[in-house]
Amino acid sequence: MVETFNRFPQSPDVLMADIKIEIAGIRLENPTMLASGILGQTGQSLLRIIHEGGAGAVVTKSIGLEPRTGHGNPCAIELKNGLLNAMGLPNPGIDAFGSELKIALKSNAPVIASIFADTGEKFSTLASRMEEHGAHAVELNLSCPHAEKYGLDMGSDPLKVSDIVGQVKDSVKIPVFAKLSPMVPDIGHIALAVQEAGGDAVVAINTIKAMRIEPEIGMPVLKNNVGGISGPAIKPAGIRAVYEIAGKVDIPIIGVGGVTTGLDAIEYIMAGASAVQIGSGVHYRGIDVFQKVSQEISEFMDRKGYASLQDIIGIARD
Amino acid sequence: MQVVDITDSINESDNIKTIKFKWPAESKPGQFIMVWIPGVDEIPMSLSYSDGITVDSVGEATQAIHALEKGSQIGIKGPYGNGFDLSGNDFLLIGGGTGIAALAMAAENLSQAGKKIRIAIGARTASDLLFVERMKALGEVHIATDDGSSGHHGFITQVAEKLITVKKPDMILACGPEPMMASAVKLAHKIPIQCSLERHMKCGFGICGSCQCGKFTVCKDGPVFSGEQLGQMEDFGKWKRDSSGKSVWF
Ligand SMILES: Cc1cc2nc3c(=O)[nH]c(=O)nc-3n(C[C@H](O)[C@H](O)[C@H](O)COP(=O)(O)OP(=O)(O)OC[C@H]3O[C@@H](n4cnc5c(N)ncnc54)[C@H](O)[C@@H]3O)c2cc1C
Ligand SMILES: Cc1cc2nc3c(=O)[nH]c(=O)nc-3n(C[C@H](O)[C@H](O)[C@H](O)COP(=O)(O)O)c2cc1C
Ligand code: FES
C-alpha cells in the first residue's frame, strides 16, 4: 500500500495542533513568513510564495523612495553553511512598486511592506505610501549591514530608532514592525526603544556582517567587499537575539535567521518568537519551504501534545 | 565559486570569442554559469562547451573576458539553471546571434543520440554567423542574415517558418533576442517549443529575484521555459527589468 500523508495520525477526533497566530492584529494561517529581500521584488513572485510556497504572510523586498541598482556583482555567493550577500538594497522605488503590491494583495495572506530610508520623515512618507497601496503592515529596515547611511546605520542608536518608529507610528494606522540587527551591544535595549515608541512588533535578525576572500585570486569575492551572512550559520545568533529581546519587551517578536526546518522554527518560538521569517531556507529547501516547515511544526506539536503555538511561545525562558 | 585557469581563447568573429577553461564539472545542455572577472564584474554566460563560453563583446565585463589570456584566472559559480529537455526525435533549433551558443551542446547531444536535427542560424551579417561549421557536422543547417550577406535575406524566423511547413518537427528549441523567440513561439503554434531566456542576473541561484519573468526566476526555474510556461508570463517578449527591478520595454 502506498503511504500518504495523514493529517490525523491516530484517529480523526485527535485534533491537530493549532498553528494559526495573530500578530499585532494580523492573522496568519501559519507562523511562517517570507523574509524581506528573497524573491520579494515583484507581485507575481510574492503571490507564488503564498500560493505555491504556503507562506502565512510575505514581506516585500525593502523599498526606498527612489529606484536604486544596489551593489555590483558578485553580490551573492553560497558558503558551506550559509549565504553571503551584499545586494545593497536594489529596488525599483516606491512609485513603481505600487503596482507590484497590488498584484501581491490579490491573495488572502497578509502582505507586509519593508521600507528603508535615512530619516524618520522619509520612513513616514514611505510608510504612508505603502498604507495607501494597501499593505497590511510595514516593516522598517533598521538593520541591513551593507548599505551606507541605511539599515544598521539607522538601527544601532536607540534614540534614532525611537525617533523613526515614533514618526512612522504618527503617520500610519497599520501596524509597524521594526527589523533589528544583532550587531549592537544590547539588542534588547533597541527592542525596548521600539516598544516605547509605539512599535507593534520586533523582527530579528537581519544578516551579520561578513566577508570572503578568494585565496587563488587574493581578493574579496563580493564587489562590495563586505556583505551579510544568512542561513544555518547564523541561527544560534538569531536565537540568542530573540531570547534577549523577549526578556525586555511584551510586543510580539518575529524570529529570523537560518530557519530551514520546523524544529528551527520551534527553537525561535521557544525563545520567545510568535512567528518566523524564512529567507535563505528558500534556497535550501525550495519555494515550498513554508509548507514543509509548517507541517514539521504541527508534527512536532502533535508528538509533544501541544495544542497551540501559545503553549510554546517563550517556554525556554520560564 | 571555483577559480579556474583559462586554457584557450578562440576568435569566432570580430566581436565574438570562445574562452575555454579547466573545469571538470558536469553540466546539461542549456545550463549557464556566473563568470567572475576579478575586479570587474560577474555575469551570466551560457555554456557553449562543457568547458567553454562564447562571448559577444558588448560592454565592460565582456570586453574584460575578451582580454583574458591563456593562464588568466576567473571564478565560476554553477552550473546553474534547468537546461533543455531533449525528449523527442525530430528537432528544429533556432539560434539568433549568440543564442546559438546556448543551443550548441544540445545539438551535439541530439546528434550523438541519433536524432534528426535541423538548425536555423541567424545573424546581422555573414561575419557574425556563429558555429556554422560546428553545426554542419551535426545536422542540416539553414542561414539568414539581416543584410543578406549570407543565406536568406531577412529574419531567421522566416526560415524557420518554411522549415516547419516542409516538415513539422516534434520539438523546437530557440535562443536569441526575445522578440525573435516571441515570434518563434507564435509560429510553433501547437508544436512543443522551449526557449532560453535572458534577464538581469545578480545571485544566479534563485534568491534575489532580480531575474524574475512572470512568476518564475530565469536563473533557477529557467533559463529554459516551455511554450506553456512562456504563455503564463505577461512580460515575455514585452519587457524585462533593469538592475533596480524597474520594467524596461524591449
Ligand atoms: C542566462 C544567460 C545566458 C547568457 N549567455 C550569453 C552567451 O552565451 N554569450 C554572450 O555573449 N552573452 C550571453 N548573455 C548576455 C551577457 O550576460 C551580457 O551580454 C553581459 O552581462 C554584458 O555585460 P557587459 O558588462 O559586457 O555589458 P554592459 O554594458 O554591462 O551591459 C550590456 C547589456 O548586457 C546585459 N547585462 C549586463 N549585466 C547583466 C547581468 N548581470 N545579467 C544579465 N544581463 C546583463 C544588459 O541587458 C545590458 O544592457 C547571457 C545572459 C544570460 C542571462
Ligand atoms: C539575498 C538577500 C537579500 C536580502 N534583502 C533584504 C532586504 O532588502 N531587507 C531586509 O530587511 N533584509 C534583507 N535580507 C535579510 C533577510 O531578510 C533575513 O533577515 C536574513 O537573510 C536572515 O534570514 P535567513 O537566514 O532565513 O536568510 C536579505 C537576505 C538575503 C540573503
Ligand atoms: S539572479 Fe537572483 S534570483 Fe535569479
Side-chain angles (χ1 to χ4, degrees):
Chain A
M1 212 180 87
V2 184
E3 254 188 279
T4 52
F5 172 59
N6 184 356
R7 295 279 289 175
F8 305 102
Q10 282 99 28
S11 81
D13 24 82
V14 175
L15 272 180
M16 271 271 296
D18 179 10
I19 61 165
K20 290 197 193 65
I21 188 86
E22 193 174 309
I23 295 169
I26 295 177
R27 288 208 186 125
L28 311 190
E29 280 300 306
N30 70 64
T32 68
M33 309 180 183
L34 174 71
S36 179
I38 288 83
L39 302 182
Q41 197 166 280
T42 74
Q44 294 289 351
S45 173
L46 289 164
L47 268 188
R48 186 185 186 194
I49 300 279
I50 297 166
H51 292 152
E52 293 172 32
V58 288
V59 184
T60 70
K61 174 80 199 160
S62 292
I63 303 296
L65 281 174
E66 301 293 334
R68 189 180 147 100
T69 54
H71 299 313
N73 280 7
C75 59
I77 56 172
E78 298 171 66
L79 303 176
K80 256 184 220 132
N81 207 18
L83 304 175
L84 180 61
N85 93 83
M87 304 302 302
L89 299 174
N91 80 97
I94 185 74
D95 289 342
F97 193 70
S99 55
E100 305 292 347
L101 199 61
K102 277 208 182 86
I103 295 171
L105 287 166
K106 285 182 190 159
S107 85
N108 292 324
V111 179
I112 298 153
S114 173
I115 52 179
F116 72 94
D118 58 0
T119 66
E121 205 180 326
K122 289 180 193 165
F123 263 113
S124 300
T125 307
L126 283 163
S128 307
R129 296 286 305 278
M130 288 296 191
E131 183 175 43
E132 282 163 28
H133 288 318
H136 296 102
V138 285
E139 182 180 287
L140 314 180
N141 182 344
L142 300 172
S143 44
C144 176
H146 48 69
E148 221 179 304
K149 289 198 303 176
Y150 301 112
L152 181 56
D153 285 359
M154 297 281 103
S156 43
D157 173 2
L159 290 177
K160 243 189 220 169
V161 168
S162 130
D163 174 52
I164 293 167
V165 173
Q167 287 198 47
V168 174
K169 276 303 287 180
D170 285 343
S171 50
V172 296
K173 290 200 184 66
I174 52 176
V176 176
F177 300 174
K179 183 167 175 188
L180 305 184
S181 166
M183 288 183 294
V184 291
D186 182 356
I187 194 170
H189 193 52
I190 308 268
L192 197 57
V194 172
Q195 174 169 291
E196 284 172 354
D200 298 281
V202 176
V203 182
I205 57 175
N206 208 311
T207 58
I208 300 173
K209 254 190 205 183
M211 78 189 286
R212 162 133 175 41
I213 289 164
E214 174 49 63
E216 294 292 327
I217 307 287
M219 275 178 66
V221 175
L222 294 178
K223 184 70 176 262
N224 190 55
N225 297 341
V226 171
I229 187 168
S230 61
I234 69 164
K235 193 186 77 180
I239 300 289
R240 184 276 303 176
V242 168
Y243 188 86
E244 286 185 11
I245 294 167
K248 288 274 172 64
V249 304
D250 305 317
I251 53 176
I253 304 164
I254 299 162
V256 203
V259 175
T260 63
T261 68
L263 285 180
D264 294 334
I266 293 285
E267 254 190 87
Y268 271 103
I269 294 166
M270 288 182 166
S274 299
V276 294
Q277 293 181 355
I278 302 175
S280 307
V282 169
H283 173 63
Y284 294 106
R285 293 189 78 190
I287 269 179
D288 59 351
V289 62
F290 306 93
Q291 215 168 295
K292 291 171 179 160
V293 167
S294 297
Q295 186 178 318
E296 289 158 6
I297 292 173
S298 327
E299 280 165 7
F300 172 83
M301 290 171 66
D302 289 347
R303 177 161 68 78
K304 300 290 280 188
Y306 294 116
S308 86
L309 287 175
Q310 298 301 342
D311 296 348
I312 46 173
I313 294 174
I315 60 167
R317 306 194 46 79
D318 303 337
Chain B
M1 172 87 64
Q2 202 181 338
V3 174
V4 300
D5 294 337
I6 307 290
T7 53
D8 212 352
S9 170
I10 305 148
N11 287 319
E12 303 284 0
S13 75
D14 287 352
N15 218 38
I16 302 174
K17 277 191 184 184
T18 291
I19 308 291
K20 298 262 202 147
F21 33 79
K22 216 182 278 159
W23 190 54
E26 293 270 321
S27 62
K28 274 179 68 187
Q31 284 192 301
F32 71 96
I33 55 176
M34 293 297 289
V35 180
W36 177 42
I37 314 105
V40 184
D41 200 349
E42 181 193 47
I43 56 171
M45 280 289 150
S46 302
L47 286 164
S48 58
Y49 295 90
S50 60
D51 59 353
I53 53 176
T54 300
V55 182
D56 191 2
S57 168
V58 298
E60 195 191 357
T62 46
Q63 267 160 24
I65 294 180
H66 276 217
L68 296 169
E69 290 166 0
K70 200 170 160 174
S72 309
Q73 290 186 309
I74 54 171
I76 291 182
K77 289 191 326 200
Y80 287 146
N82 55 358
F84 290 105
D85 171 3
L86 298 180
S87 50
N89 289 303
D90 184 355
F91 281 75
L92 173 61
L93 276 53
I94 312 171
T98 49
I100 191 71
L103 295 168
M105 285 215 289
E108 282 171 350
N109 271 35
L110 291 168
S111 157
Q112 261 162 28
K115 297 182 179 177
K116 180 171 162 33
I117 46 174
R118 290 175 291 171
I119 306 147
I121 308 178
R124 273 173 306 235
T125 184
S127 60
D128 281 354
L129 283 163
L130 198 56
F131 292 158
V132 174
E133 293 313 312
R134 186 177 171 196
M135 292 302 113
K136 275 185 178 162
L138 308 171
E140 192 183 302
V141 172
H142 300 263
I143 285 169
T145 48
D146 294 350
D147 64 0
S149 52
S150 179
H152 171 76
H153 186 175
F155 293 137
I156 193 61
T157 40
Q158 295 164 331
V159 173
E161 190 166 17
K162 260 194 215 134
L163 292 171
I164 292 172
T165 325
V166 174
K167 188 171 178 297
K168 254 192 190 178
D170 57 26
M171 180 62 84
I172 300 173
L173 310 181
C175 186
E178 201 155 305
M180 177 214 100
M181 291 192 282
S183 42
V185 168
K186 265 190 209 129
L187 62 93
H189 193 50
K190 284 184 179 144
I191 307 166
I193 182 168
Q194 300 168 55
C195 295
S196 178
L197 266 50
E198 287 186 6
R199 281 295 181 275
H200 193 93
M201 288 187 184
K202 295 196 172 187
C203 72
F205 52 92
I207 55 158
C208 74
S210 160
C211 66
Q212 210 81 41
C213 191
K215 69 173 187 178
F216 301 103
T217 56
V218 172
C219 70
K220 182 109 193 262
D221 300 313
V224 178
F225 293 100
S226 67
E228 197 186 330
Q229 289 173 313
L230 295 166
Q232 296 169 25
M233 304 173 182
E234 63 273 36
D235 22 4
F236 173 64
K238 297 199 187 77
W239 75 83
K240 55 181 181 176
R241 289 172 192 272
D242 66 14
S243 57
S244 77
K246 262 200 331 203
S247 303
V248 184
W249 294 83
F250 279 112

